[in-house]
Amino acid sequence: MHPVVLRAACAAALGVVACGSGPDLPSAVNSSTNTGTNTNVVTSVVISPSSVATLTVGGTTSLSASAKNGLGQDVGAAAITWSSSASNVAAVSGGVVSALSAGTAQITAATGSVSATISLNVVSLSVTDGPETLATLPQTYLNTTAPPAPDAGGQVHTVSTATSFQNALNSANFGDVIAIQNGVTLIGNFTLANRGTSNGGKWITIRPVTMTGLPAEGSRMTPAIAAALQLPIILSPNNLGAISSTPGAHHIRIIGIEVSQVSTVASNTGLVRLGEDGTNPQKQLATVPHDFVLDRMYIHGLLLQNTRRCVGLNSGASAVIDSYLSACHENGADAQAIAGWNGPGPFKIVNNYLEASGENIMFGGADPNVPNLTPSDIEIRHNHFFKPTSWKGIAQHWLVKNLFELKHAQRVLVEGNLFENNWTDGQSGTAIAIKTVNQDGACNWCVTQDVTFRYNLVRNVGGAFTVSGSPDNAFADIPARRLTITDNIVHTINTATYDGIGQGALLNGDVSDLVFAHNTIVDPTSAALTFGGGTNQPMIRLAFRDNIIGGGVNGMKGSGVTAGTVSLNTFAPSARFTNNVITLSSTTGYPTGNYYPTALASIFFSALTSFDFHLIAGSAYKEKATDGVDPGANVDAVLSAIAGVIVP
């Protein structure tokens, strides 16, 4: 157990219960033989807390002691002296215990001949209980600034029919523009051709003839804008892609096009397919198409038809920016706005509206056909993830699971997004799911690792986070590792519409190096933190610190064991669990070094009912995080990151 430092008691004027002094535990008591009734005679010494969890070398914890008379009253004049039976293992001064080396020491508080003693176990840092490692951020970020179009020497191919469009795709050179007449509808399965291995730094651009009124770069397309500008429309007439790439195709930017399926098609499994399309699997990295930008696009399914996937990203160096993806839904199967499993990346998904029934974004979910490929260097920022509540309970049932899911990906940054609306259906209503899955047994290198999830707002969901090491035990893979979840706000969990598991975080199995810090999760109904996945696969180097989180009815609970410290030590025995603010009705058996108000109102947010989660100046928890700032999310940083994410 990570060392904890007990804080001073909160001001009674704020009405805060049990914040800073740890749980109310029975005190260790040793009595002398003096049983007189003189109120100035010390008959016992009480140490609080009466037991201390295991400390690691270099850690500290604070104890207090009081002298009592025969009536159990404090004898205030009695001086307390502290000693250690093994000062090389643990030194003590003024009640502050410092862990120096591995071993066991007896810590004694005495006044005169009367004393009390507690036992302390000190362990060394090791591979499994050493300091956790933060996630590595993406190593490559795509520059999606539009090149000149046409480029120097380039031509403009103006098209208005399906045949002329495909002919232009087959013949255009890098630097050319393919301009589609506004207001036309092209029906077909169009392919982005490989126009040679060298592009000379130039791109092929596909766009409307008339660009006037198109949102500027960095501004989002909407259905209203698409209709007003009469954007060209490309429709798939069958289950194949409206737009697909051929092996090796590259450096193509598509701007301001609407993509969907014809109304008579009951099901489509992918409208835009960049890379792997399921009919012609790409099995070598050399054949993977790359360098695509979908820019200010309107890509959507239809009201009553199945659309399994709006965009498939199984390519290299590809981006979806400033676009509107909607009605990506299916009855009886997972559907995504964006999904990828057989492309190396890097990927950029920035400033989009993303609406899907299964998972709005998912990486993994099918085994890659390219050996040792892992989707990598993924930037997901400033998107609006959304599921319309009108989907709930309708006759045409769309299978709902998560807002965001990772099964196989690495170096992922998820920052400044709004995740909105999720409920129990195909799964338990959890918004964010991060895990490793070797989906079909052919990917023993599958891993989800180096994920940074920060400055996001999650609201109106059945549950907040599920993080699993390796939930699919049927096939070999690498358990999820190096996950950094910080400075996120989650509110409105498991209400009538957004029903679900009601948990702040569900942690399963052998995840390693999970840092869950500075999050504000205000109202889970079931539990702040739940452990699962079996006690034979404990978490490694969990850091759970500086969070503000509602405890629900179960607080912190592991499957089959007692809530509180017992659960923590069973499922995450080397955890750093400190300086959290957790609402609990009873703190008995919970780790010291945390704060346990009985209700959210006792935390003193600026305006709880209007979801302003700043702490007021009088809050007892101001500057009580391990880094000296307020616990919970950096509210101003979150608000800044999501500013403008909702576009009318």
Side-chain angles (χ1 to χ4, degrees):
M1 183 68 186
H2 188 57
V4 293
V5 180
L6 303 183
R7 304 288 182 173
C10 299
L14 293 177
V16 181
V17 179
C19 63
S21 58
D24 296 328
L25 297 172
S27 298
V29 178
N30 279 359
S31 298
S32 74
T33 56
N34 185 345
T35 58
T37 57
N38 187 330
T39 57
N40 292 320
V41 174
V42 176
T43 61
S44 64
V45 172
V46 176
I47 296 177
S48 182
S50 62
S51 62
V52 177
T54 297
L55 298 181
T56 54
V57 172
T60 62
T61 192
S62 295
L63 305 174
S64 62
S66 57
K68 304 287 187 179
N69 61 26
L71 300 176
Q73 301 167 329
D74 287 344
V75 180
I80 301 293
T81 59
W82 294 88
S83 62
S84 170
S85 65
S87 57
N88 62 319
V89 174
V92 60
S93 175
V96 178
V97 180
S98 300
L100 304 178
S101 64
T104 301
Q106 308 299 314
I107 306 299
T108 299
T111 179
S113 61
V114 184
S115 65
T117 299
I118 64 171
S119 181
L120 175 67
N121 185 39
V122 178
V123 297
S124 298
L125 295 176
S126 69
V127 172
T128 58
D129 62 11
E132 62 281 342
T133 302
L134 294 176
T136 299
L137 290 167
Q139 299 299 287
T140 302
Y141 294 86
L142 296 178
N143 179 358
T144 52
T145 302
D151 211 320
Q155 301 181 31
V156 176
H157 307 262
T158 301
V159 301
S160 58
T161 66
T163 300
S164 62
F165 179 47
Q166 186 61 63
N167 288 340
L169 290 172
N170 294 339
S171 62
N173 295 312
F174 294 109
D176 287 0
V177 168
I178 301 174
I180 308 174
Q181 289 285 359
N182 294 67
V184 304
T185 297
L186 308 180
I187 299 175
N189 306 118
F190 300 99
T191 57
L192 307 175
N194 183 352
R195 298 299 299 139
T197 57
S198 176
N199 68 317
K202 300 178 181 180
W203 291 64
I204 295 172
T205 300
I206 303 168
R207 61 165 175 80
V209 167
T210 300
M211 300 277 282
T212 303
L214 197 72
E217 285 188 64
S219 299
R220 191 182 304 161
M221 175 60 66
T222 68
I225 294 173
L229 299 181
Q230 294 187 303
L231 295 184
I233 300 172
I234 298 176
L235 301 179
S236 172
N238 47 39
N239 190 39
L240 302 178
I243 299 174
S244 300
S245 60
T246 58
H250 62 98
H251 286 92
I252 299 173
R253 186 184 192 104
I254 309 177
I255 306 174
I257 306 295
E258 182 176 344
V259 181
S260 189
Q261 64 203 58
V262 299
S263 60
T264 55
V265 173
S267 296
N268 182 281
T269 55
L271 294 174
V272 178
R273 309 183 187 201
L274 302 179
E276 173 81 55
D277 66 2
T279 60
N280 184 26
Q282 55 193 26
K283 297 183 178 181
Q284 296 179 336
L285 196 60
T287 66
V288 174
H290 58 90
D291 288 280
F292 299 103
V293 177
L294 301 179
D295 177 5
R296 289 162 283 177
M297 301 283 285
Y298 177 32
I299 305 172
H300 62 93
L302 301 176
L303 181 64
L304 298 178
Q305 277 82 354
N306 290 316
T307 304
R308 181 171 298 176
R309 190 168 301 112
C310 282
V311 175
L313 283 184
N314 293 298
S315 49
S318 299
V320 183
I321 57 173
D322 304 333
S323 295
Y324 195 103
L325 281 60
S326 63
C328 314
H329 48 43
E330 185 162 359
N331 185 345
D334 289 18
Q336 301 90 27
I338 298 174
W341 61 92
N342 197 31
F347 298 118
K348 177 177 180 178
I349 304 171
V350 173
N351 192 38
N352 304 286
Y353 174 83
L354 303 170
E355 178 186 291
S357 55
E359 304 86 12
N360 297 46
I361 287 182
M362 181 170 70
F363 283 94
D367 291 347
N369 287 308
V370 177
N372 300 309
L373 181 145
T374 297
S376 305
D377 299 312
I378 304 171
E379 177 190 8
I380 302 172
R381 290 190 303 102
H382 207 255
N383 302 286
H384 186 187
F385 293 68
F386 189 81
K387 297 186 194 296
T389 56
S390 60
W391 290 353
K392 189 173 184 181
I394 63 174
Q396 178 69 323
H397 174 247
W398 310 125
L399 183 68
V400 168
K401 287 192 174 179
N402 313 109
L403 286 163
F404 177 74
E405 183 168 6
L406 296 178
K407 291 184 174 181
H408 180 205
Q410 64 181 354
R411 297 190 301 274
V412 183
L413 172 63
V414 185
E415 179 179 88
N417 302 280
L418 171 59
F419 296 89
E420 190 168 21
N421 299 356
N422 207 61
W423 54 86
T424 296
D425 190 69
Q427 291 181 350
S428 61
T430 297
I432 312 300
I434 301 173
K435 54 190 174 183
T436 291
V437 180
N438 177 0
Q439 191 78 23
D440 304 310
C443 183
N444 59 8
W445 68 89
C446 273
V447 64
T448 295
Q449 62 185 4
D450 293 306
V451 179
T452 302
F453 191 97
R454 67 188 184 193
Y455 307 129
N456 300 287
L457 173 60
V458 183
R459 67 188 184 193
N460 304 334
V461 295
F465 295 92
T466 294
V467 180
S468 303
S470 184
D472 184 356
N473 295 320
F475 304 122
D477 52 27
I478 302 169
R481 59 193 181 186
R482 298 191 300 275
L483 314 175
T484 303
I485 301 173
T486 61
D487 286 293
N488 302 286
I489 296 174
V490 186
H491 71 78
T492 312
I493 301 174
N494 192 25
T495 63
T497 301
Y498 316 105
D499 59 308
I501 197 169
Q503 295 171 343
L506 170 61
L507 307 182
N508 285 317
D510 48 349
V511 182
S512 60
D513 294 293
L514 168 60
V515 177
F516 197 97
H518 275 294
N519 299 290
T520 298
I521 306 176
V522 295
D523 50 5
T525 56
S526 173
L529 178 58
T530 302
F531 294 104
T535 59
N536 62 328
Q537 293 181 317
M539 299 188 67
I540 301 171
R541 293 182 299 273
L542 166 65
F544 196 95
R545 58 174 175 78
D546 305 321
N547 301 287
I548 297 178
I549 184 166
V553 297
N554 294 308
M556 177 173 62
K557 181 74 168 62
S559 177
V561 297
T562 304
T565 303
V566 172
S567 290
L568 186 66
N569 288 344
T570 300
F571 288 88
S574 60
R576 275 83 170 146
F577 190 91
T578 187
N579 293 68
N580 300 289
V581 180
I582 306 175
T583 58
L584 294 174
S585 58
S586 172
T587 62
T588 301
Y590 273 78
T592 59
N594 299 278
Y595 308 93
Y596 300 108
T598 57
L600 287 174
S602 301
I603 298 173
F604 289 93
F605 292 116
S606 290
L608 180 60
T609 57
S610 57
F611 310 115
D612 182 349
F613 300 114
H614 292 88
L615 299 184
I616 67 171
S619 171
Y621 309 106
K622 290 288 292 181
E623 302 178 355
K624 296 297 185 181
T626 56
D627 49 9
V629 301
D630 293 351
N634 183 332
V635 176
D636 291 331
V638 173
L639 294 177
S640 176
I642 67 170
V645 76
I646 296 180
V647 175

